[in-house]
Amino acid sequence: MKKRYWRCFVCNDVHYGVAPPEVCPTCQVVNAYIEITAEEARKFLGGGPDITFTPVDFRQAVERFTAGNEFVVNPDQEKVETLLQGIFENEKNHGFKYCPCRLFTKNWEEDLKLVCPCNFKIHETYRGVENGECWCGLFVRRR
Amino acid sequence: MARLLMFHGRECPHCKKMMPIVERLEQETGLRFEKHEIWHDEKNQDLMRSFQPVIAPKCGGQLRVPTFLNVDTNDAICGEVDSDKLKAWAEKK
Protein backbone atom coordinates (compact mmCIF):
# COMPACT_ATOMS: atom_id res chain seq x y z
CA MET A 1 0.00 0.00 0.00
CA LYS A 2 1.36 3.35 -1.00
CA LYS A 3 1.84 5.99 1.65
CA ARG A 4 0.57 9.49 0.90
CA TYR A 5 0.57 12.89 2.53
CA TRP A 6 -2.40 14.31 4.40
CA ARG A 7 -2.99 17.74 5.96
CA CYS A 8 -5.39 18.73 8.70
CA PHE A 9 -7.37 21.62 7.25
CA VAL A 10 -7.81 23.12 10.73
CA CYS A 11 -4.30 23.22 12.17
CA ASN A 12 -2.10 22.14 9.21
CA ASP A 13 -0.82 19.03 10.94
CA VAL A 14 0.85 16.87 8.27
CA HIS A 15 0.51 13.10 8.29
CA TYR A 16 2.31 10.60 6.06
CA GLY A 17 0.63 7.23 5.78
CA VAL A 18 -1.74 4.95 3.94
CA ALA A 19 -4.74 6.66 5.56
CA PRO A 20 -5.15 9.81 7.64
CA PRO A 21 -5.89 9.70 11.39
CA GLU A 22 -9.59 9.89 12.17
CA VAL A 23 -8.91 12.43 14.90
CA CYS A 24 -6.20 15.05 14.47
CA PRO A 25 -3.74 14.48 17.33
CA THR A 26 -2.97 18.18 17.51
CA CYS A 27 -6.34 19.95 17.37
CA GLN A 28 -8.62 16.95 18.03
CA VAL A 29 -10.92 17.76 15.11
CA VAL A 30 -12.59 14.70 13.58
CA ASN A 31 -12.27 13.87 9.85
CA ALA A 32 -10.07 16.88 9.22
CA TYR A 33 -7.45 15.48 6.86
CA ILE A 34 -7.26 16.08 3.13
CA GLU A 35 -4.72 14.49 0.82
CA ILE A 36 -1.95 16.77 -0.42
CA THR A 37 1.07 16.42 -2.68
CA ALA A 38 4.55 15.69 -1.39
CA GLU A 39 5.58 19.16 -2.52
CA GLU A 40 2.79 20.78 -0.53
CA ALA A 41 3.73 18.69 2.48
CA ARG A 42 7.32 19.88 2.23
CA LYS A 43 6.15 23.49 2.16
CA PHE A 44 4.05 23.01 5.26
CA LEU A 45 6.78 21.15 7.10
CA GLY A 46 9.44 23.65 6.07
CA GLY A 47 7.26 26.59 6.96
CA GLY A 48 6.52 25.41 10.47
CA PRO A 49 7.65 27.06 13.65
CA ASP A 50 11.41 27.36 14.06
CA ILE A 51 11.85 24.81 16.80
CA THR A 52 15.39 23.89 17.76
CA PHE A 53 15.40 20.17 18.44
CA THR A 54 18.61 19.54 20.31
CA PRO A 55 20.37 16.23 21.01
CA VAL A 56 18.99 16.55 24.57
CA ASP A 57 15.45 16.82 23.18
CA PHE A 58 16.09 13.85 20.91
CA ARG A 59 17.49 11.83 23.81
CA GLN A 60 14.31 12.55 25.80
CA ALA A 61 12.19 11.66 22.76
CA VAL A 62 13.86 8.26 22.33
CA GLU A 63 13.56 7.62 26.08
CA ARG A 64 9.79 8.26 25.80
CA PHE A 65 9.74 6.10 22.66
CA THR A 66 11.16 3.14 24.59
CA ALA A 67 8.80 3.47 27.56
CA GLY A 68 6.61 0.39 27.72
CA ASN A 69 8.50 -1.22 24.86
CA GLU A 70 10.66 -4.33 24.91
CA PHE A 71 13.79 -2.25 24.31
CA VAL A 72 15.59 0.59 26.08
CA VAL A 73 18.21 3.20 25.25
CA ASN A 74 21.65 1.65 25.65
CA PRO A 75 22.91 2.19 29.23
CA ASP A 76 26.41 2.82 27.80
CA GLN A 77 26.40 6.62 28.03
CA GLU A 78 29.57 7.13 26.03
CA LYS A 79 28.23 5.09 23.14
CA VAL A 80 24.92 6.97 23.21
CA GLU A 81 26.71 10.34 23.23
CA THR A 82 28.79 9.33 20.21
CA LEU A 83 25.72 8.15 18.34
CA LEU A 84 23.69 11.27 19.11
CA GLN A 85 26.59 13.39 17.88
CA GLY A 86 26.62 11.40 14.64
CA ILE A 87 22.87 11.52 14.19
CA PHE A 88 22.86 15.31 14.50
CA GLU A 89 25.95 15.69 12.29
CA ASN A 90 24.15 13.68 9.64
CA GLU A 91 21.03 15.81 9.91
CA LYS A 92 23.14 18.97 9.57
CA ASN A 93 25.15 17.64 6.62
CA HIS A 94 22.67 15.37 4.86
CA GLY A 95 19.19 16.52 5.88
CA PHE A 96 18.04 13.59 7.99
CA LYS A 97 18.92 11.90 11.25
CA TYR A 98 20.62 9.05 9.45
CA CYS A 99 22.11 6.20 11.44
CA PRO A 100 25.84 6.93 11.93
CA CYS A 101 26.63 3.25 11.34
CA ARG A 102 25.16 2.96 7.86
CA LEU A 103 25.57 4.96 4.67
CA PHE A 104 22.69 6.41 2.67
CA THR A 105 22.43 5.11 -0.88
CA LYS A 106 20.76 8.11 -2.60
CA ASN A 107 17.71 5.90 -3.16
CA TRP A 108 15.02 7.88 -1.34
CA GLU A 109 12.79 4.94 -0.36
CA GLU A 110 15.75 2.87 0.86
CA ASP A 111 17.30 5.75 2.74
CA LEU A 112 14.14 6.42 4.74
CA LYS A 113 14.88 3.09 6.41
CA LEU A 114 18.09 4.55 7.84
CA VAL A 115 16.52 7.45 9.72
CA CYS A 116 16.85 7.03 13.48
CA PRO A 117 14.95 5.42 15.09
CA CYS A 118 14.79 2.84 12.32
CA ASN A 119 12.73 -0.35 12.22
CA PHE A 120 15.50 -2.32 13.91
CA LYS A 121 13.12 -5.01 15.19
CA ILE A 122 13.40 -6.73 11.80
CA HIS A 123 17.20 -6.67 11.78
CA GLU A 124 19.19 -9.83 12.37
CA THR A 125 21.07 -8.10 15.19
CA TYR A 126 17.80 -7.77 17.15
CA ARG A 127 15.14 -10.23 15.98
CA GLY A 128 15.34 -13.47 17.93
CA VAL A 129 18.55 -12.39 19.66
CA GLU A 130 18.48 -12.59 23.46
CA ASN A 131 20.70 -9.55 23.96
CA GLY A 132 19.66 -8.01 20.69
CA GLU A 133 20.36 -4.45 19.71
CA CYS A 134 19.87 -2.21 16.73
CA TRP A 135 22.77 -2.11 14.31
CA CYS A 136 24.33 1.00 15.82
CA GLY A 137 23.58 -0.04 19.42
CA LEU A 138 21.42 2.94 20.43
CA PHE A 139 18.61 0.58 21.40
CA VAL A 140 19.08 -2.69 23.27
CA ARG A 141 16.59 -5.32 24.29
CA ARG A 142 15.19 -4.71 27.78
CA ARG A 143 16.51 -7.25 30.32
CA MET B 1 49.04 -8.70 -1.21
CA ALA B 2 45.29 -8.28 -1.50
CA ARG B 3 43.80 -4.78 -1.58
CA LEU B 4 41.86 -4.45 1.66
CA LEU B 5 39.51 -1.56 2.44
CA MET B 6 37.94 -0.53 5.71
CA PHE B 7 34.89 1.74 5.57
CA HIS B 8 34.15 3.45 8.86
CA GLY B 9 32.18 6.32 10.34
CA ARG B 10 33.60 8.98 12.64
CA GLU B 11 30.64 8.75 15.02
CA CYS B 12 30.16 4.98 14.75
CA PRO B 13 31.02 3.33 18.10
CA HIS B 14 31.66 -0.06 16.46
CA CYS B 15 34.18 1.58 14.14
CA LYS B 16 35.90 3.29 17.06
CA LYS B 17 36.19 -0.09 18.75
CA MET B 18 37.55 -1.80 15.64
CA MET B 19 40.15 0.82 14.74
CA PRO B 20 42.81 -0.17 17.35
CA ILE B 21 42.17 -3.86 16.59
CA VAL B 22 42.82 -3.21 12.90
CA GLU B 23 45.91 -1.12 13.61
CA ARG B 24 47.34 -3.80 15.88
CA LEU B 25 46.64 -6.45 13.26
CA GLU B 26 48.44 -4.35 10.69
CA GLN B 27 51.48 -4.06 12.95
CA GLU B 28 51.53 -7.77 13.75
CA THR B 29 50.93 -9.19 10.29
CA GLY B 30 51.90 -6.61 7.70
CA LEU B 31 48.35 -6.57 6.37
CA ARG B 32 47.22 -3.12 5.26
CA PHE B 33 43.71 -1.71 5.24
CA GLU B 34 42.89 1.45 3.26
CA LYS B 35 40.68 3.35 5.69
CA HIS B 36 37.82 5.42 4.33
CA GLU B 37 35.61 7.55 6.56
CA ILE B 38 32.20 7.67 4.93
CA TRP B 39 30.06 10.30 6.68
CA HIS B 40 32.32 13.31 6.23
CA ASP B 41 33.90 12.59 2.86
CA GLU B 42 31.84 12.52 -0.32
CA LYS B 43 34.50 10.68 -2.35
CA ASN B 44 34.59 7.92 0.22
CA GLN B 45 30.80 7.72 0.15
CA ASP B 46 30.89 7.28 -3.62
CA LEU B 47 33.64 4.68 -3.28
CA MET B 48 31.60 2.65 -0.81
CA ARG B 49 28.47 2.96 -2.96
CA SER B 50 30.43 1.69 -5.94
CA PHE B 51 30.92 -1.57 -4.04
CA GLN B 52 27.26 -1.85 -3.00
CA PRO B 53 26.65 -5.03 -5.07
CA VAL B 54 29.46 -6.75 -3.15
CA ILE B 55 28.88 -5.28 0.31
CA ALA B 56 25.09 -5.22 0.65
CA PRO B 57 24.46 -8.98 0.28
CA LYS B 58 26.97 -9.58 3.08
CA CYS B 59 25.70 -6.81 5.35
CA GLY B 60 21.95 -7.17 5.74
CA GLY B 61 21.26 -5.62 2.35
CA GLN B 62 22.72 -2.29 3.43
CA LEU B 63 25.90 -0.27 3.45
CA ARG B 64 26.85 -0.67 7.07
CA VAL B 65 30.00 0.32 8.91
CA PRO B 66 32.45 -0.90 9.84
CA THR B 67 32.80 -2.85 6.61
CA PHE B 68 35.93 -4.67 5.51
CA LEU B 69 36.25 -5.32 1.81
CA ASN B 70 38.71 -7.44 -0.13
CA VAL B 71 38.70 -5.91 -3.59
CA ASP B 72 40.59 -8.83 -5.13
CA THR B 73 38.23 -11.55 -3.93
CA ASN B 74 35.07 -9.41 -3.90
CA ASP B 75 34.38 -10.47 -0.34
CA ALA B 76 33.17 -8.36 2.58
CA ILE B 77 32.40 -8.63 6.25
CA CYS B 78 30.85 -5.99 8.45
CA GLY B 79 30.43 -5.19 12.11
CA GLU B 80 32.63 -5.84 15.08
CA VAL B 81 34.81 -8.91 14.62
CA ASP B 82 37.67 -10.18 16.74
CA SER B 83 41.24 -9.98 15.53
CA ASP B 84 41.58 -13.67 14.70
CA LYS B 85 38.44 -13.70 12.60
CA LEU B 86 39.47 -10.55 10.75
CA LYS B 87 42.95 -11.96 10.11
CA ALA B 88 41.54 -15.24 8.78
CA TRP B 89 39.15 -13.34 6.53
CA ALA B 90 41.85 -10.97 5.28
CA GLU B 91 44.25 -13.80 4.45
CA LYS B 92 41.62 -15.89 2.67
CA LYS B 93 42.53 -16.36 -0.99
Side-chain angles (χ1 to χ4, degrees):
Chain A
M1 284 185 285
K2 187 170 171 54
K3 290 184 183 180
R4 295 172 292 178
Y5 291 93
W6 311 83
R7 177 178 66 82
C8 170
F9 77 97
V10 176
C11 70
N12 289 331
D13 228 45
V14 173
H15 174 78
Y16 177 61
V18 175
E22 191 177 342
V23 179
C24 174
T26 299
C27 69
Q28 311 299 316
V29 172
V30 177
N31 295 333
Y33 281 86
I34 183 167
E35 187 175 351
I36 58 174
T37 64
E39 187 55 35
E40 191 179 351
R42 280 192 197 99
K43 285 177 185 169
F44 272 95
L45 294 169
D50 185 21
I51 297 169
T52 305
F53 198 66
T54 67
V56 173
D57 296 325
F58 185 64
R59 172 69 192 256
Q60 290 169 349
V62 293
E63 292 281 4
R64 286 195 297 273
F65 171 61
T66 63
N69 258 315
E70 64 187 39
F71 49 83
V72 295
V73 175
N74 197 321
D76 184 336
Q77 294 297 322
E78 191 182 341
K79 184 178 270 189
V80 170
E81 285 301 317
T82 303
L83 288 166
L84 290 180
Q85 194 183 340
I87 288 165
F88 274 78
E89 279 281 308
N90 288 346
E91 185 175 41
K92 185 179 75 181
N93 297 329
H94 306 288
F96 284 95
K97 290 185 178 66
Y98 288 124
C99 174
C101 300
R102 288 174 287 176
L103 177 63
F104 65 109
T105 62
K106 294 188 176 176
N107 175 318
W108 169 249
E109 293 290 331
E110 282 303 310
D111 292 342
L112 288 179
K113 297 174 186 171
L114 309 184
V115 179
C116 184
C118 69
N119 184 12
F120 58 86
K121 290 170 82 172
I122 64 171
H123 289 170
E124 78 282 3
T125 53
Y126 185 87
R127 188 172 58 183
V129 180
E130 190 180 347
N131 297 323
E133 57 182 50
C134 67
W135 177 254
C136 73
L138 182 60
F139 298 103
V140 297
R141 194 180 287 281
R142 193 185 293 273
R143 292 174 195 171
Chain B
M1 191 179 289
R3 186 181 172 210
L4 303 171
L5 276 57
M6 175 187 183
F7 293 104
H8 63 101
R10 193 168 76 189
E11 294 92 2
C12 163
H14 308 294
C15 306
K16 281 179 191 275
K17 195 170 171 184
M18 283 307 297
M19 198 56 83
I21 294 172
V22 171
E23 287 169 353
R24 196 162 53 244
L25 189 62
E26 286 178 324
Q27 287 171 3
E28 289 171 359
T29 63
L31 289 167
R32 287 290 173 267
F33 288 84
E34 292 175 26
K35 300 173 190 71
H36 298 281
E37 200 287 330
I38 50 99
W39 272 117
H40 301 274
D41 188 309
E42 207 166 321
K43 280 185 183 170
N44 289 346
Q45 292 171 11
D46 289 340
L47 181 65
M48 189 176 190
R49 287 191 196 104
S50 74
F51 290 110
Q52 190 171 1
V54 178
I55 296 171
K58 304 270 185 172
C59 299
Q62 298 177 327
L63 295 175
R64 298 171 170 181
V65 286
T67 282
F68 303 93
L69 174 73
N70 185 328
V71 177
D72 295 343
T73 60
N74 266 344
D75 194 17
I77 53 169
C78 58
E80 290 182 26
V81 288
D82 63 42
S83 184
D84 289 344
K85 186 176 176 183
L86 184 60
K87 181 175 182 285
W89 171 85
E91 291 175 338
K92 198 167 62 177
K93 301 288 183 189

